Amino acid sequence: MRCDRLWANARLATLAADRPRLGEIENGVVAALDGRILYAGEAAQAPQFTPDETVDCEGRWITPGLIDPHTHLVFGGDRAHEFELRLAGASYEEIARAGGGIVSTMKATRAASEDDLVASALPRLDALIAEGLTTIEVKSGYGLSLDHELKSLRAAHKLGQVRPVNVRTTFLGAHALPPEYAGDSDGYIEEVCKRMIPAIAAEGLADAVDAFCEGIGFTAEQTRRVFEAAKAHGLPVKLHAEQLSNLHGAALAAEYGALSADHLEHLDKDGVAAMAKAGVVATLLPGAYYFVRETKLPPIEELRAAGVPIALATDCNPGTSPLTSLLLTMNMGATLFRLTVDECLAGVTREAGRALGMLDQAGSLEAGKRCDLAIWDIERPAELVYRMGFNPLHARVWSGL
């Protein structure tokens, strides 16, 4: 059987759901044709391949390419000054209500051109790619007007044209209230639902729609209106939920069959049950938890007990998680949230793919999926979670190349 490339003499962590633990295989091979996996499994059981090229992995480990399912990678400026204010004792909410936070990034994003936004995002993207990232979700939400949201989404798409990476885009118009709608959050939500979502859907610029359901964001009822508009235009939804308080956003997300509910520090048992019943992924963001010095942990044990899939993401953003390392994210998931090694690795591969609605395409080493691989100089997968500030990536393969 012909294949383009054959990676031999490898140890595999397939992350296949039908295998125990990480789907580990001691003597494995991966074969690819036209950017897709033909076979990933035991060398002794592999078909007889005739490869155009054979890569001797010399006993290295291969995992699926890493996936970051929650980022705000495209934005203007930075918020280092607000970091100083927080160190001096100001809270995230106090800074936001004083005109900082998302609105300050909005001003810098509006002032930037599309090319400016691409140029500023590339170093962040390159840092992630250097650690084995092959798929990333990029949200808008710092333009907060139709033209600037379109600009941000186009910039996100352009990232996937100038780098070998799969970019999934999410429209997050309901992220914060822009100054021109001060005191009229319902009016702004009307703009998001009646003007922005139809225009973005018409251009095919978004793979999903998100919202910030929070006291400093938008109410559950306003979020419901956003979800209804997304549904009317055939777009799946996801939600920033229960980060600072419990507005029962996770249950609302479950009602609409959301791909994921993210943050979840204040998630209650009813929310967990609703997510489990609807198959909503819990995307945890330990970088934000760490950076804002949160003390309330997400209900990890309840999520486990209910069988809710758990994904991990950097939440890369200028204000609450300026993090561009999925390796460090995994370490934080283990040390801060007490996730296991298996949960952390699944969280940035299989479950991250599930959180983006693309588990049929990526997230595990299985026939028919994209041949996105990360090849590591490690002795055991636990090293990927255990180390801090060390990158053992040997090679990254995107779409078979």
Side-chain angles (χ1 to χ4, degrees), residues 45 118 142 150 183 192 269 328:
Q45 300 172 12
V118 171
Y142 291 124
L150 289 169
V192 168
K269 290 183 178 180
L328 183 54

Side-chain angles (χ1 to χ4, degrees), residues 133-135 160 163-166 370-373 396-401:
L133 176 101
T134 52
T135 298
R163 290 293 187 270
V165 66
N166 186 36
R370 291 172 58 98
C371 187
D372 294 344
L373 315 176
R396 170 187 175 274
V397 176
W398 180 72
S399 196
L401 299 174

Side-chain angles (χ1 to χ4, degrees), residues 307-326:
V308 176
I310 297 174
L312 284 174
T314 63
D315 190 21
C316 176
N317 75 75
T320 62
S321 187
L323 175 61
T324 53
S325 170
L326 277 174

Side-chain angles (χ1 to χ4, degrees), residues 10 12 14 19 25 27-31 39-46 365:
L12 310 182
T14 67
R19 289 180 175 270
I25 295 172
N27 184 17
V29 298
V30 178
Y39 176 84
E42 298 278 357
Q45 300 172 12
L365 305 181

Side-chain angles (χ1 to χ4, degrees), residues 343-380:
E343 287 171 332
C344 289
L345 286 167
V348 298
T349 54
R350 184 183 64 228
E351 305 311 332
R354 194 189 309 275
L356 294 181
M358 55 181 300
L359 187 56
D360 61 331
Q361 303 174 50
S364 62
L365 305 181
E366 296 180 88
K369 294 194 177 184
R370 291 172 58 98
C371 187
D372 294 344
L373 315 176
I375 305 174
W376 307 95
D377 279 316
I378 56 175
E379 284 302 315
R380 57 184 55 81

Side-chain angles (χ1 to χ4, degrees), residues 209-220:
V209 171
D210 197 347
F212 186 29
C213 184
E214 191 52 76
I216 60 171
F218 297 94
T219 68

Side-chain angles (χ1 to χ4, degrees), residues 48-73:
Q48 187 66 43
F49 288 109
T50 305
D52 295 343
E53 179 186 0
T54 299
V55 179
D56 183 356
C57 293
E58 300 177 321
R60 294 183 177 89
W61 279 90
I62 301 179
T63 69
L66 304 189
I67 301 172
D68 196 340
H70 181 131
T71 83
H72 305 253
L73 199 74

Side-chain angles (χ1 to χ4, degrees), residues 10 21 85 104 145 157 184 191 217 253 286 303 353 382:
R21 296 201 59 200
L85 293 177
S104 67
S145 71
H157 275 272
D184 186 16
E191 171 78 0
L303 291 167

